[in-house]
Structure formats: structure tokens, C-alpha cells
Amino acid sequence: MSVLDATQQNTKQHSAQDASSTLPSGWVLPKTMRDPHGMIVGQGKFTYRVNAHWGRLDPNQTPVENCHGLDIDAKGRVVMITDDPRNNIVIYNRDGKLLDTFSTHMPGGHSVKIVNENGEDFMYLVDSGWVKNRLWDGHSTEAWDSPYNRVVAQSGFIAKLDMSGRLLFSIGHPQTYGVYRPDQPFRPTDIAISEKGDLYVTDGYGSDYLLQYNSQGQFIRRWGGHDNSDPNYNLSNTHGIGIDTRSGAPELIVSSRGAQCLKRFSMTGEYLGTIDANGAYIGGPIFKGQHFYAPVCWSHIEGKNQDDSGFISVFDKHNRVVANLGGIAPEYINGQLQPMQSTWDVFNHCHGLCVDEDENLYIGQWNANQSYPMKLERV
């Protein structure tokens, strides 16, 4: 690229960012500044039509901050968690009609998982500890260590609720049961629930451990973190987790987002292998049949995670990428996955997703102008 081309590209990017900042709350455009509504995205069998207007609501009536996590309940409703405490839980039907909202008083609301127990649905929610700062200086947005940033960190927690929002129990900082030192941060990011009810929690904004609890919230074990003698156990911004039952024997697939990979562990914490996600700061897996989908928040380009460069990767039963939605087609050379990246024309920062029975996807985004989720309709 010539200096002139680079200058023109930078000018276009700054113009796009300026235009994006003038959009009304609830509306977001990708870096191309063209509405992706109606676009066909994906490759091979994984091709979708973008419904970018799905889920859009009146921000004066139903405001959101980041649409962090989504799941589908036994009634087929799409349940979303956001970190706007006025509307932590937003419930849609599959056509995008608003059915219900309520607050769970979780200013760091980050993940929702719905589990049917003895014929009744329950929701497990994760608060990652990030809160809007009442001492904000009015301009700092990425000074994460500053006490005057717009968002600051506190301790997070996990909660189990019924579907009406009634709290059943919560799990707080692991120092309360002797697992962490008081100076170790606990800011959990995701949760998975096993068939027997054990809870597996990623502490991806805190100390990067994976913690296992029983169905009553009693601690069992932890692993991961940093600086292990066996680096295979190290986790970096472990942002998501899922239970893989495709082979018949369950195992955990855990994102190590900062390392652009996912790691496989047994249900008791033994390392089983690494799944490459070269170029993708990838979240946890969402399984459907023999495949899984994983949201990508940023692409790794020119040595860093670039803003507004998210996409969605689809992995097959061999844990190889077979499609990128809103990203360049995956390529393997001599068995090695080549760097993946955004096509810049669909998403900003993909964060939460769920898949319905017709294999349509519902996607929520982080840091995207308080926008509402969109739908990818299987073609």
C-alpha cells in the first residue's frame, strides 16, 4: 500500500468513526458505513442473509448498553443480557418482537445460560464486575486503570434465577471460601452447566482461572490462570466456555481469547488440546449438531486487535474452521490455519450469540453504540 493509499484509508476510517458517533442510540454501522441489512454472508453450506434491523427497540423505552449474551429458552424465546441495569434481561420472540424486560441489578451483566431442570427453565447469569463510573471525568473511555474512566471494575458474581427474575442463589468472590487471595480480582465472563448440574465459570476479566462448582454452588476445583509449569494450562482473557458432547464423552472447550485460540479440557481439568483461531480474538463455542459457532470480537491485524473488526467463525466436528461470517473465507495450508480477519462490512465487535432450531443466528455486540442484536437467517 502506498503512503497516499494509507492516508486515504485512514481519512476514510476517521470519517466513518465520526459518522458512526452521530448515529442515534440503538443503531450501528460497520466500518464501511453501509447498512448490511439484506447482505448474504458466509461460505459453503453456512450462508446467511443479514437482518440487521431485527431486535431494534426504542432506546428511550428499552435502553441497552452492550448486548453481551444470548440464549434460547424452552418456549423458543430469545433471552438477552445487557449491562444496562434498567433492562438487564430483554426477551424477544424469534421475529424480534419484544416480549418482556426486567432488571436483575447487574451493572456488569455479561452472560446468560438457560437450563431446563426437571421440566422448568432457569437462567444462570454472570456479572463481570464492570460498572459505569459515577466519578467519570467526562472524556476517558479506555483508561481502564484510571479511577475516572467511564467504566471501572469491581468484583463480579454469578447468580441463578427463575425465569421471572427471582434470585435463587449467588456465588461471589472466591476469597470468601479460601480459593483466591483478597488481592486477586474476580470478574467472571461466562458459565457452562453440565448434565449433572456442575457449574464451570471462566474468570476472564479477573485472574483467568476456570472454576468448577456443584449444582448448589459449592466449590470443587480450579485450574488455568497464568505462569503454569505446563503452558498448555495458561489462559489469557478466557472469555467463553461450552460443553462439547459431540463425541459422546463430554469435554470443555474454553476460549483463550488473548491467545487467539480455544483449549480443550476434560470435565475435571486435564488438558486435551488446543484449537487454533489464528487472527481471531475468539469467544466461547455455541454448539449446533456437529458444528459450533464462536463470536470474534476483534481481528488481529498489523500486530494488534483492530477496532470494529469482529466476525463469526464456524467450526466442524474436527474443530477446523469451515466458514467465517463477516470474515474472509478460512484457509488451511499444510494443515495450518492461515490468519483470519474481518471483511469490515457486517459487524463491529461480535460478543454473544445463540442458534435456533432452524439454524438462524442471533448476535449481540459489545462497544457498538448501544445497538440491539441482529439476526442471520440461514439461506
Side-chain angles (χ1 to χ4, degrees), residues 123-248:
M123 63 175 74
Y124 289 85
L125 305 181
V126 177
D127 185 301
S128 64
W130 295 102
V131 297
K132 289 184 177 179
N133 186 9
R134 67 184 184 86
L135 303 178
W136 183 38
D137 61 14
H139 61 82
S140 298
T141 59
E142 295 186 11
W144 303 111
D145 294 329
S146 168
Y148 306 108
N149 194 54
R150 181 173 182 265
V151 177
V152 292
Q154 63 181 14
S155 182
F157 62 97
I158 302 105
K160 180 181 181 181
L161 295 83
D162 67 17
M163 295 304 291
S164 70
R166 183 172 64 95
L167 177 65
L168 302 176
F169 70 78
S170 61
I171 302 171
H173 197 294
Q175 70 168 314
T176 61
Y177 39 92
V179 179
Y180 278 26
R181 300 186 312 272
D183 63 314
Q184 288 182 287
F186 181 60
R187 299 175 194 136
T189 47
D190 200 13
I191 187 170
I193 301 94
S194 73
E195 186 175 352
K196 71 175 185 177
D198 281 2
L199 313 177
Y200 294 86
V201 175
T202 54
D203 185 15
Y205 278 138
S207 299
D208 266 329
Y209 285 105
L210 202 162
L211 301 105
Q212 181 184 356
Y213 305 85
N214 69 16
S215 61
Q216 303 304 309
Q218 298 166 321
F219 175 76
I220 297 174
R221 63 173 58 85
R222 76 171 195 189
W223 67 91
H226 309 144
D227 303 320
N228 292 285
S229 58
D230 182 348
N232 288 316
Y233 285 87
N234 292 342
L235 294 170
S236 174
N237 189 209
T238 176
H239 217 70
I241 184 170
I243 298 175
D244 185 1
T245 61
R246 293 174 295 173
S247 68

Side-chain angles (χ1 to χ4, degrees), residues 69-80:
L70 300 100
D71 205 353
I72 296 178
D73 69 8
K75 297 178 181 178
R77 305 182 304 171
V78 178
V79 180
M80 181 182 73

